[in-house]
Amino acid sequence: MQIRALMLLWVVALAGCQPSGQAGGESDPARKAAEAAEAAERAQLETLASQIAADRDAVAGFEVLHAGYGHGPDPRSGQSVPTIKVALANGSPVTVTRVSLHVRLANEGGGAPWLDQVFDVPLSAPLAPGAGDAVTMTPTGDSDWALKAPPEGVPVRVRVQALALRTPEGRELLTEHAMDDLQRERLDALRAASR
């Protein structure tokens, strides 16, 4: 009886060890899942790169002229709060009603940014081709920006880039900054791997 049980376990063990195709072949679910994830990632990055290329002429000439950081009165409470002032120039051929701005703030002495965030900013009036505007941004009291901001008087390094422009018709146009260097490198690597 024990020999029959051992024989049965041995047969089951052998059956479990039998190859079900080539090693690393199409029957490997983990490999299939990884390939599917890479294909989806590549498709997403290709779509982003295509839209940036398609929108290039429409957004050409839209610029962030200057971005400055300081403290100023909160329009809601009047208290002194961190403030970013951004000067925009619309040299593009489209009218812009909103702009997505990627803001990075770091202490002047160096180190990693203490704020790295995208803001969707409505403009006070549609910004026609050839026009300029100034935008003032202040944080809400419970935001990361308000909580992490250094005290007034501490010098802050500011970097602001326009990622996307929105037209009065609701069309969103992407700038070259909508894809960062890491995304470009990843897309190049995925393209090279599929050759």
Side-chain angles (χ1 to χ4, degrees):
M1 195 89 146
Q2 287 180 343
I3 293 176
R4 281 175 97 184
L6 287 173
M7 291 286 284
L8 183 59
L9 284 173
W10 183 70
V11 169
V12 169
L14 280 178
C17 293
Q18 293 297 320
S20 57
Q22 297 179 5
E26 292 195 18
S27 62
D28 183 2
R31 183 174 175 192
K32 280 185 177 179
E35 288 172 352
E38 281 189 357
E41 181 184 11
R42 180 177 174 183
Q44 189 176 34
L45 290 171
E46 292 283 9
T47 300
L48 181 60
S50 294
Q51 185 176 354
I52 290 169
D55 295 344
R56 189 165 284 126
D57 291 340
V59 300
F62 189 92
E63 295 180 81
V64 173
L65 296 177
H66 175 75
Y69 179 88
H71 281 70
D74 184 331
R76 299 169 292 268
S77 68
Q79 295 179 337
S80 180
V81 292
T83 304
I84 299 173
K85 293 186 178 182
V86 182
L88 304 171
N90 187 8
S92 79
V94 297
T95 298
V96 178
T97 57
R98 296 179 83 87
V99 61
S100 291
L101 298 173
H102 184 192
V103 175
R104 286 186 193 99
L105 302 176
N107 289 351
E108 195 64 59
W114 50 264
L115 183 73
D116 189 350
Q117 190 172 334
V118 175
F119 295 91
D120 184 38
V121 181
L123 302 178
S124 57
L127 190 57
D133 196 2
V135 176
T136 300
M137 301 165 58
T138 56
T140 57
D142 60 348
S143 69
D144 268 0
W145 177 9
L147 298 173
K148 294 178 181 177
E152 191 169 351
V154 173
V156 172
R157 216 173 51 241
V158 184
R159 182 176 177 194
V160 178
Q161 295 174 313
L163 301 183
L165 313 178
R166 188 159 307 137
T167 68
E169 301 78 34
R171 186 173 166 213
E172 188 172 66
L173 304 165
L174 299 182
T175 74
E176 65 180 282
H177 303 297
M179 181 179 252
D180 64 28
D181 291 340
L182 290 176
Q183 290 171 311
R184 290 180 206 284
E185 289 170 14
R186 180 63 176 154
L187 180 55
D188 289 344
L190 289 169
R191 285 172 174 165
S194 68
R195 289 183 191 145

